[in-house]
Structure formats: C-alpha cells, structure tokens
C-alpha cells in the first residue's frame, strides 16, 4: 500500500484532517485514477468544511467507479449544502442498485431520501422511504443501523 496514503489514513483516523488532505492530495497526484485516494481526499475536505471541493473530488472518483460509499458521501454532503435534488439523485441511485451486499447503504439512503422528502412535504413518499429504511435494517438484524435510524428520526422530531 502507498505509504503516503497510509500516512493519510492515520491522520484521518486521528482527526488531523489538514494533514490527511495533504497526504491524500499527494497520493492522488501519484495515482489520479485510484478512487480510494479520491474518496478519502473528499472525506477530508468535507471534514475541513470545504464542501464544494469535496463534491468535486467525489464526483471525479465516481467517474472511475460507482462505489456506493462514494455516492453516499456525495449525497450526504449535497444534502447538508441544501442541494436537495442532487442529494436525492445520489440516494435514489443507491436504492435502485440494492443487493444483499449493500443493504446497509440502501437503508441509509432510504432514510436520507425520506428526510429530504419530508422537507419538501412529500409526506407519503417520505414515510414509505423511512419505513423501507427500518425494514431493511430489521432484515439485516443490524442493531447499530436501527439505532442510527432511530437517532436520526428522533433528532428530526419523530
């Protein structure tokens, strides 16, 4: 594994995001087609509050691979930036590609899309999405995911 990337991972894990971003930038300059380098650079930029740049980097990674964590991260950032249509597109794309291997991400995507729809007063669609999120989490018997869903719903007044 690339030593600069490893250094970036350590810095990221330790919440040293400036250092992590610098290391990931170096790794990307050495191998611009590595989606992992781009993903972690995008995550670091997000932690630094550089949302627009983060979305640009994550979009570059998605040109290389349609990896769900990358798409989900971009969706979350866009949701937080108020770019609701872009966020909904990312979450819907994840939902459309549900498999047994990615139900965790699909569940979170249903949850976030449901919250987006609540914000635009699409109540029936929102409740359907939130129910789908909970059902998938129950199917997976994922107590951590169920707790996260419950926490998000409680935070949003449910």
């Amino acid at each position: 594994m690339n030593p600069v990337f490893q250094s970036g991972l350590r810095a990221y894990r330790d919440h040293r995001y400036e250092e992590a971003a610098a290391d990931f930038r170096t790794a990307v300059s050495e191998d611009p087609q590595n989606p992992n380098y781009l993903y972690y650079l995008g995550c670091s930029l997000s932690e630094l509050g550089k949302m627009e740049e983060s979305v640009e980097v994550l979009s570059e990674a998605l040109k290389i691979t349609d990896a769900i964590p990358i798409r989900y991260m971009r969706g979350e950032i866009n949701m937080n930036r108020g770019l609701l249509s872009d966020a909904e597109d990312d979450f819907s794309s994840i939902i459309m590609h549900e498999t047994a291997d990615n139900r965790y991400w699909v569940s979170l995507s249903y949850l976030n899309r449901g919250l987006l729809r609540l914000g635009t007063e699409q109540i029936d669609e929102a409740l359907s999405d939130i129910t789908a999120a909970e059902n998938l989490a129950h199917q997976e018997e994922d107590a951590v995911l169920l707790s996260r869903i419950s926490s998000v719903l409680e935070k949003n007044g449910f």
Side-chain angles (χ1 to χ4, degrees):
M1 184 183 291
N2 181 317
V4 175
F5 180 66
Q6 285 180 319
S7 174
L9 288 175
R10 282 190 297 277
Y12 187 85
R13 181 194 65 222
D14 294 339
H15 308 284
R16 297 187 324 263
Y17 300 116
E18 285 284 350
E19 182 182 333
D23 285 345
F24 296 138
R25 280 187 202 283
T26 300
V28 167
S29 72
E30 294 171 2
D31 185 0
Q33 294 300 305
N34 188 314
N36 289 324
Y37 298 173
L38 290 163
Y39 172 72
Y40 280 101
L41 175 56
C43 291
S44 297
L45 293 168
S46 172
E47 292 292 343
L48 292 168
K50 299 177 180 181
M51 301 308 181
E52 188 173 332
E53 187 179 0
S54 175
V55 167
E56 290 172 11
V57 169
L58 294 169
S59 295
E60 285 301 312
L62 286 169
K63 291 177 184 175
I64 299 165
T65 180
D66 196 25
I68 288 174
I70 299 169
R71 184 164 300 283
Y72 181 82
M73 182 67 163
R74 187 177 73 175
E76 263 203 347
I77 292 168
N78 279 330
M79 186 169 90
N80 293 331
R81 293 173 64 205
L83 300 174
L84 306 184
S85 178
D86 292 343
E88 186 170 349
D89 289 347
D90 278 331
F91 298 136
S92 294
S93 177
I94 293 167
I95 290 165
M96 287 181 359
H97 296 97
E98 178 185 344
T99 67
D101 294 336
N102 68 9
R103 286 194 181 125
Y104 174 85
W105 295 105
V106 171
S107 180
L108 290 176
S109 295
Y110 270 122
L111 176 63
N112 282 339
R113 191 174 75 176
L115 293 173
L116 289 171
R117 289 177 168 178
L118 278 176
T120 58
E121 298 186 21
Q122 300 172 52
I123 305 303
D124 290 340
E125 294 88 347
L127 293 176
S128 176
D129 281 349
I130 292 167
T131 300
E134 290 176 322
N135 288 341
L136 280 174
H138 281 293
Q139 254 183 342
E140 292 299 300
E141 299 178 357
D142 190 331
V144 173
L145 180 56
L146 283 166
S147 176
R148 181 172 179 179
I149 291 168
S150 176
S151 174
V152 168
L153 292 176
E154 184 176 314
K155 179 181 171 187
N156 285 278
F158 291 95

